[in-house]
């Protein structure tokens, strides 16, 4: 969806005086987009099945392990479940607010949910996703699948984004982001963004030559 009233004043405070103008543009464009999405063919292939959960079980972990060899950093099953069970964001509408359930640096946002999707095609597991729904944004901290199933996995993410009525889908995995950049429907705008990392001198000077994959959930990002 279009979010000019939210984004532009943050980037340039001088534009706050035009908030109503941007809000009207958002309203009109998103009304058109709502109609467009209502008739968009959002159905998955008949042979695709999805299992939603809130933890990485042993079968999930076996699938992940076999597809981690190119990752720059590799979180194990215990670490992934730690991330899912103890996020840094608290949803006041569903989480009990007490000192035992929060960190000193916890933030609040609604809605906030992290969940896993195991994806099957013709009864065979083809992918595993960890998704984060925060506010009006959907992100993909972790994605594991063979590249031949990129279109199917992208359709699962796209369907979930429409189902949750999010404004923005953000993806940093290059192999997945490139697919969405080439297949822009049903998005209003598709633009490339960069995330920069600092790493110690112990790493090779040029990580690009190592043919490594970087997941969105690397470092602290997976907890937020």
């Amino acid at each position: 969806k279009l979010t000019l009233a939210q984004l532009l004043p943050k980037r340039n405070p001088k534009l706050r005086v035009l908030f109503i103008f941007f809000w009207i543009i958002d309203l009109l464009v998103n009304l058109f987009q709502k109609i467009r999405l209502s008739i968009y063919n959002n159905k998955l292939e008949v042979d695709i099945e999805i299992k939603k959960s809130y933890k990485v079980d042993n079968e999930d972990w076996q699938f992940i392990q076999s597809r981690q060899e190119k990752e720059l950093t590799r979180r194990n099953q215990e670490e992934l479940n730690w991330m899912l069970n103890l996020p840094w964001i608290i949803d006041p509408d569903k989480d009990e607010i007490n000192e035992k359930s929060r960190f000193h640096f916890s933030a609040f946002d609604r809605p906030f949910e992290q969940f896993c999707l195991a994806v099957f095609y013709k009864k065979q597991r083809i992918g595993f996703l960890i998704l984060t729904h925060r506010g009006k944004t959907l992100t993909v901290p972790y994605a594991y699948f063979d590249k031949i199933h990129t279109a199917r996995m992208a359709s699962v993410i796209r369907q979930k984004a429409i189902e949750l009525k999010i404004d923005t889908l953000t993806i940093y995995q290059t192999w997945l982001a490139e697919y969405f950049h080439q297949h822009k429907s049903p998005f209003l705008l598709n633009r490339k963004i960069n995330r920069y990392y600092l790493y110690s001198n112990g790493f090779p000077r040029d990580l690009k030559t190592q043919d490594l994959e970087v997941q969105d959930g690397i470092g602290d990002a997976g907890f937020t």
Side-chain angles (χ1 to χ4, degrees), residues 138-140 157 169-174 176-178 180 193 216:
L138 184 69
T139 58
V140 187
I157 297 171
L169 172 65
T170 304
I171 295 174
Y172 282 106
Q173 292 92 338
T174 54
L176 188 54
E178 287 172 359
F180 279 105
I193 54 177
D216 181 9

Side-chain angles (χ1 to χ4, degrees), residues 72-73 195-204 207 214 218-219:
L72 175 61
T73 61
R195 176 185 285 173
Y196 298 96
Y197 297 95
L198 297 176
Y199 56 90
S200 71
N201 291 330
F203 282 97
L207 291 180
V214 179
I218 188 174

Side-chain angles (χ1 to χ4, degrees), residues 115-117 119 127-131 140 142-145 153 156-157:
F115 54 93
C116 308
L117 296 180
V119 183
F128 181 81
L129 302 168
I130 295 180
L131 303 181
V140 187
Y142 286 92
Y144 295 98
F145 55 87
M153 296 302 295
V156 171
I157 297 171

Side-chain angles (χ1 to χ4, degrees), residues 89-150:
I89 311 300
I90 295 175
D91 184 341
D93 293 334
K94 67 178 183 179
D95 294 327
E96 182 181 352
I97 309 302
N98 58 60
E99 291 303 318
K100 293 183 179 180
S101 66
R102 58 170 292 183
F103 300 101
H104 291 295
F105 47 81
S106 291
F108 298 87
D109 206 346
R110 56 167 66 90
F112 180 82
E113 182 185 29
Q114 287 183 305
F115 54 93
C116 308
L117 296 180
V119 183
F120 301 83
Y121 178 66
K122 295 184 177 179
K123 306 300 182 181
Q124 297 293 318
R125 182 188 292 261
I126 63 168
F128 181 81
L129 302 168
I130 295 180
L131 303 181
T132 299
H133 176 206
R134 179 178 179 180
K136 290 290 187 178
T137 299
L138 184 69
T139 58
V140 187
Y142 286 92
Y144 295 98
F145 55 87
D146 295 329
K147 301 303 183 291
I148 60 171
H149 295 299
T150 299

